[in-house]
Structures are given as structure tokens and as C-alpha cells.
């Protein structure tokens, strides 16, 4: 950033002017025909999904649809018709969660408030985007209302932003663009790696060579659940849920899925823990929800993964363990699309989505030798770390770049205000 320091020392050594957004930006005026007419309603993404009008939304188009959530949705110029706009703009959503988008080119918009610099010789639009992105927490505090929240635009427009000389703005944009480009490249690489991982996992886990065919009941020495403790009356008598820490934690699939970050944990006393001994999570375990919207998802947990010393599995899930085979291998196998298609055969199609242990035990799996299972697990673990581990691999690097970007964005956009 030596070049930026030089520019600041040369062009604004005594600080910069601050202006309110309404003084240096134009909002909506050039885009009223898009933003405020009834016809605009038909380009809303959710509207098209709800009404099955998919032809307008196409990945093959070149016209960006600025939705209120940042997403890559395009249409064609022919379909856009007279609702098409063009320009270099910054947008915040009129309803929902606050975010800031930048776009340059031809576009459609729905339910956004569109801003553009009133004079690009004074304020660069890309610089405006980075400034507003840096103010997103403050902008978010202006969103009010029950249900879908809307911004108080008078407060948004009253925000003061630094206006350094244009050369300084351009250098800041160049630096932050480089950070953004690097993060985008890493994210693209991660997406590619995940696709490779999924393809490789499907191929290697569903090989037909040197395998034996066995049923669930033959493979898993433990196929049990919460209600296996006894009658519902027995459970009601022996198990009561507690909101404060007690002898053991009742582990739900929602807790595992959120890595125990959601709060509102559930606990049970020692008597309940002993009563639920069949679903004690004191060994590595495969857990499959068998009732509800996440029916058929697969989780692998070890005692070291769990934040509490004593843990029992909660209702609406099946606990699987094998004494003979590699449990991590079986976890990967159950995640494959091939197995998930097989599982759908026993999932009830009507009412509440569910399947039972009896039908599950009849399903068949192809199992290689234990030596081959161990080799496959070692390979897939490496891929999994690269694609999913937040402490190493690409996700960790992306998170580090994001934090670095936010740090430098804040640093670069912090100026001393010049005295009047």
C-alpha cells in the first residue's frame, strides 16, 4: 500500500472531506421505470419460482437480475424488454436482510434501492460500493418493521462518507478488487473441488469389484433409537428434559448440524441417562434422522466431537454402529446419492416423512474388505479436509482472506476529516 500512502501524503495530507450520501449520490431516479411500476413485480425471482415462469430466468442470458439477495440470476435482452436498465450502480434491498451489491452493465431490478454517483469526477461508483459495504452494520440498524423489514431511507441517505481525491479512491478500489478477486478464485476452486470430491466419492464407494453384498442388519451390530428404551409410558416416567446443564446432554440432529452453536441445549439427569443407555454416544456413531424434513441425512460423531461429557441421542433419529466394519467408511457410503436413492424406497411418501428400523435393516450395501475400507477412508478424509474443514484447507483460507479483506477495507476507508 506504499502507493496509496504516497497519494494520501501528496493529495490529502490534512484529511479529507466528508459528505452525506444525499449530497453525492442519486437514488432511483434513473431507474424508476424499473423499480416502482407494477410491471416490475413480474421479474421478482420468488414470483417466477412460485408461478413456474422459468423462461425469464436463465443462466444463458447476459442481463443480470438484481435480486434482494445476492445471487447470479440472468435473463436475455429479448425477455427483459422495456424493463431493461443500464449503468454502474450500487443497490441495497428494499425489504429483507441488508446487503450491498455493485453492478455495471445491463440489468433488471426488483425491490432494491438503486444508487449511483451524482458526479463520477468526485465519487467513483466502485469506491461508493466499498464504502457502503463497510457501513453495512450501520445501514442494517436502519431496517425496521415486523415481518419483512424495510430501511429508513432518510437515515441511510444521512450517512456521512469520506470523499478523498479520485486518485486515492481509484487506488483503494484497485487494492480491494485484488482481495475480492483472490477470494473469488479460491471460492471457485472450492466449488470445483467439492464437485470432484462428490464425483470421486460416488465412484469409489459404489465400485462393484471385490465386494460382498450384505444387509444393514448384517453390517451394523447396533441399529437403535430413542424409543427402543421401552414404552412411551416408561420414557415419560423416566426422562424429563432440562434447560440447565445436568448429568448428560440430549443430542438432537439440529445440534449436530449446527455444531452445537444454536444454544437452547437440552439436558437429562443421571436416571434418564441410564434409562437411555441404548443411545449412549460414548463411541463413534452414525446418526440418521428418520422423521421430518431432514429424514435420511447422515452424520458421523465421536465422543471427542461432542461438547458434553455424557451424551444420549434424542428422538426422531436412528443410531448405527458396526463392530466389524469401518464406521467412517459406512458413513461415507450412506451419504452417496446411490444409497440415498435406495433409502427413498422405504421412506413413506405421504404425511410426515419417515422410515423405520425394520425396513432399514433389510436394505443391502456393497462392502469391500476392511483393508480397502481403511484405504478409502484415508483418501476421502483428505478430500473432506480440503473441502470442508474450517481450520485447514480451502474453507480456512477463504475465511482468512475474508477477514483480511474486511480488516484492510476498514483500514483503507478510515480517514481523518479535514478541518472546515
Amino acid at each position: 500500500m506504499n502507493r496509496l500512502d504516497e497519494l494520501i501524503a501528496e493529495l490529502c495530507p490534512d484529511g479529507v472531506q466528508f459528505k452525506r450520501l444525499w449530497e453525492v449520490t442519486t437514488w432511483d431516479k434513473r431507474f424508476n421505470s424499473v423499480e416502482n411500476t407494477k410491471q416490475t413485480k413480474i421479474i421478482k425471482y420468488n414470483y417466477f419460482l412460485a408461478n413456474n415462469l422459468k423462461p425469464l430466468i436463465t443462466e444463458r442470458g447476459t442481463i443480470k437480475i438484481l435480486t434482494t439477495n445476492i445471487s447470479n440470476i440472468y435473463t436475455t435482452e429479448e425477455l427483459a424488454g422495456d424493463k431493461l436498465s443500464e449503468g454502474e450502480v450500487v443497490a441495497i434491498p428494499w425489504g429483507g436482510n441488508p446487503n450491498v451489491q455493485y453492478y455495471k452493465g445491463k440489468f433488471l431490478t426488483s425491490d432494491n434501492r438503486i444508487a449511483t454517483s451524482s458526479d463520477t469526477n468526485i465519487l467513483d461508483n466502485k469506491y461508493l460500493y466499498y464504502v457502503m459495504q463497510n457501513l453495512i452494520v450501520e445501514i442494517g440498524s436502519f431496517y425496521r418493521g415486523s415481518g419483512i423489514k424495510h430501511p429508513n431511507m432518510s437515515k441511510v441517505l444521512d450517512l456521512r462518507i469520506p470523499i478523498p481525491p479520485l486518485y486515492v479512491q481509484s487506488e483503494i478500489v484497485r487494492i480491494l478488487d485484488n482481495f475480492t478477486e483472490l477470494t473469488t478464485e479460491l471460492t471457485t476452486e472450492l466449488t470445483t473441488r467439492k464437485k470432484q470430491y462428490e464425483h470421486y466419492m460416488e465412484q469409489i464407494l459404489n465400485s462393484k469389484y471385490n465386494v460382498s453384498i450384505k444387509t444393514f442388519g448384517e453390517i451394523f451390530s447396533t441399529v437403535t433409537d430413542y424409543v427402543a428404551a421401552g414404552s412411551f409410558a416408561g420414557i415419560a416416567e423416566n426422562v424429563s428434559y432440562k434447560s440447565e446443564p445436568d448429568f448428560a446432554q440430549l443430542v438432537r440432529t439440529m445440534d449436530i448440524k449446527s455444531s452445537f452453536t444454536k444454544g437452547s441445549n437440552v439436558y437429562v439427569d443421571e436416571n434418564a441417562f441410564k434409562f437411555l443407555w441404548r443411545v449412549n454416544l460414548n463411541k463413534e456413531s452414525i446418526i440418521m434422522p428418520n422423521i421430518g424434513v431432514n429424514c435420511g441425512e447422515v452424520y458421523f460423531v465421536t465422543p471427542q466431537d461432542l461438547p458434553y461429557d455424557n451424551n444420549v441421542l434424542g428422538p426422531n433419529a436412528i443410531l448405527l454402529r458396526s463392530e466389524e466394519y469401518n464406521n467412517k467408511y459406512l458413513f461415507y457410503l450412506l451419504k452417496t446419492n446411490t444409497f440415498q436413492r435406495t433409502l427413498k424406497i422405504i421412506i413413506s411418501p405421504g404425511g410426515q416423512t419417515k422410515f423405520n428400523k425394520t425396513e432399514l435393516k433389510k436394505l443391502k450395501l456393497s462392502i469391500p474388505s476392511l483393508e480397502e475400507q481403511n484405504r478409502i477412508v484415508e483418501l476421502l478424509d483428505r478430500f473432506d479436509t480440503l473441502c470442508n474443514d474450517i481450520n485447514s484447507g480451502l474453507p480456512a483460507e477463504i475465511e482468512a482472506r475474508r477477514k483480511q479483506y474486511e480488516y484492510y477495507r476498514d483500514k483503507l476507508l478510515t480517514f481523518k476529516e479535514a478541518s472546515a
Side-chain angles (χ1 to χ4, degrees):
M1 285 181 287
N2 288 340
R3 174 59 179 160
L4 180 61
D5 293 335
E6 290 172 3
L7 286 171
I8 291 174
E10 177 184 350
L11 300 174
C12 48
D14 300 320
V16 305
Q17 280 190 317
F18 278 63
K19 297 281 188 181
R20 299 192 186 278
L21 275 177
W22 62 263
E23 295 181 275
V24 289
T25 59
T26 302
W27 289 74
D28 283 351
K29 290 182 180 177
R30 292 173 53 202
F31 310 102
N32 275 341
S33 61
V34 176
E35 186 65 32
N36 294 327
T37 62
K38 288 184 179 179
Q39 289 89 333
T40 303
K41 304 282 186 190
I42 69 170
I43 66 169
K44 289 180 68 174
Y45 180 47
N46 289 337
Y47 178 93
F48 272 84
L49 290 183
N51 292 277
N52 202 30
L53 301 175
K54 294 179 182 178
L56 182 61
I57 297 170
T58 170
E59 293 296 330
R60 295 187 297 275
T62 58
I63 308 303
K64 171 79 170 179
I65 299 179
L66 288 177
T67 59
T68 55
N69 59 336
I70 300 174
S71 53
N72 292 318
I73 305 171
Y74 294 86
T75 187
T76 63
E77 191 162 339
E78 179 183 6
L79 290 169
D82 61 4
K83 294 180 287 296
L84 183 66
S85 290
E86 184 173 6
E88 184 181 22
V89 298
V90 178
I92 63 172
W94 175 236
N97 297 319
N99 60 62
V100 184
Q101 297 184 73
Y102 167 86
Y103 191 72
K104 183 177 182 180
K106 294 179 179 180
F107 66 92
L108 298 175
T109 184
S110 177
D111 285 352
N112 280 291
R113 287 296 174 262
I114 304 293
T116 188
S117 169
S118 299
D119 185 347
T120 53
N121 292 313
I122 296 173
L123 176 63
D124 180 270
N125 274 305
K126 194 65 175 291
Y127 172 81
L128 170 65
Y129 161 70
Y130 283 125
V131 169
M132 290 186 64
Q133 201 178 54
N134 210 43
L135 293 171
I136 191 61
V137 173
E138 194 167 356
I139 291 172
S141 70
F142 301 146
Y143 277 68
R144 291 286 185 270
S146 58
I148 298 176
K149 300 182 184 301
H150 300 285
N152 183 325
M153 287 306 298
S154 65
K155 290 186 176 181
V156 173
L157 292 171
D158 215 37
L159 286 171
R160 299 173 76 248
I161 65 170
I163 311 290
L166 204 59
Y167 284 123
V168 173
Q169 294 180 39
S170 298
E171 181 63 12
I172 290 171
V173 167
R174 185 190 68 80
I175 293 169
L176 293 179
D177 276 354
N178 285 342
F179 274 113
T180 303
E181 184 178 350
L182 177 58
T183 302
T184 300
E185 289 174 359
L186 288 171
T187 303
T188 301
E189 183 180 353
L190 177 59
T191 301
T192 302
R193 291 285 180 261
K194 282 186 173 182
K195 288 180 180 178
Q196 289 176 338
Y197 169 51
E198 290 168 4
H199 174 76
Y200 183 61
M201 186 170 70
E202 291 288 334
Q203 295 296 313
I204 199 171
L205 290 171
N206 291 293
S207 171
K208 300 302 180 184
Y209 298 102
N210 297 319
V211 297
S212 57
I213 307 299
K214 294 184 178 294
T215 66
F216 252 69
E218 294 172 315
I219 294 167
F220 291 99
S221 51
T222 299
V223 181
T224 190
D225 59 13
Y226 179 86
V227 297
S231 66
F232 287 105
I235 293 174
E237 182 180 346
N238 288 277
V239 181
S240 59
Y241 294 172
K242 302 176 183 297
S243 58
E244 297 297 326
D246 207 298
F247 188 80
Q249 181 168 350
L250 186 86
V251 175
R252 302 158 297 178
T253 54
M254 63 176 284
D255 300 320
I256 301 170
K257 197 168 186 176
S258 69
S259 300
F260 297 88
T261 59
K262 292 273 186 172
S264 303
N265 296 327
V266 177
Y267 303 91
V268 295
D269 61 22
E270 186 173 1
N271 176 66
F273 176 76
K274 291 178 178 178
F275 183 80
L276 296 170
W277 63 271
R278 289 177 179 82
V279 287
N280 188 342
L281 299 177
N282 60 341
K283 299 178 182 178
E284 60 181 20
S285 307
I286 299 170
I287 295 170
M288 290 181 64
N290 67 323
I291 298 177
V293 293
N294 60 341
C295 184
E297 290 181 358
V298 189
Y299 308 102
F300 181 82
V301 297
T302 68
Q304 294 75 31
D305 297 326
L306 302 172
Y308 217 65
D309 290 337
N310 300 313
N311 302 275
V312 287
L313 181 63
N316 302 333
I318 291 176
L319 170 61
L320 302 167
R321 283 198 197 101
S322 175
E323 299 294 337
E324 184 178 354
Y325 302 102
N326 187 314
N327 282 290
K328 191 67 174 292
Y329 173 85
L330 296 171
F331 160 70
Y332 282 128
L333 183 59
L334 300 186
K335 284 178 64 179
T336 63
N337 292 328
T338 301
F339 171 74
Q340 289 294 316
R341 285 194 295 269
T342 302
L343 183 64
K344 284 182 179 178
I345 296 171
I346 66 168
I347 294 178
S348 61
Q352 188 176 37
T353 307
K354 61 183 178 180
F355 63 89
N356 62 54
K357 292 179 296 183
T358 303
E359 293 300 317
L360 183 66
K361 289 179 180 179
K362 297 176 184 177
L363 296 182
K364 295 180 179 180
L365 296 172
S366 300
I367 304 292
S369 67
L370 184 59
E371 181 181 7
E372 180 66 3
Q373 293 173 45
N374 294 337
R375 185 188 72 83
I376 290 172
V377 166
E378 185 179 351
L379 290 172
L380 294 180
D381 276 352
R382 285 187 214 151
F383 257 115
D384 186 64
T385 297
L386 177 66
C387 294
N388 299 310
D389 196 322
I390 61 173
N391 297 311
S392 61
L394 287 170
E397 188 170 355
I398 290 170
E399 179 62 14
R401 292 286 177 248
R402 184 188 65 79
K403 289 180 178 178
Q404 190 179 36
Y405 162 74
E406 290 177 352
Y407 168 80
Y408 280 107
R409 186 186 66 199
D410 183 62
K411 186 178 178 67
L412 293 172
L413 296 172
T414 300
F415 290 92
K416 179 177 71 173
E417 186 169 3
S419 56

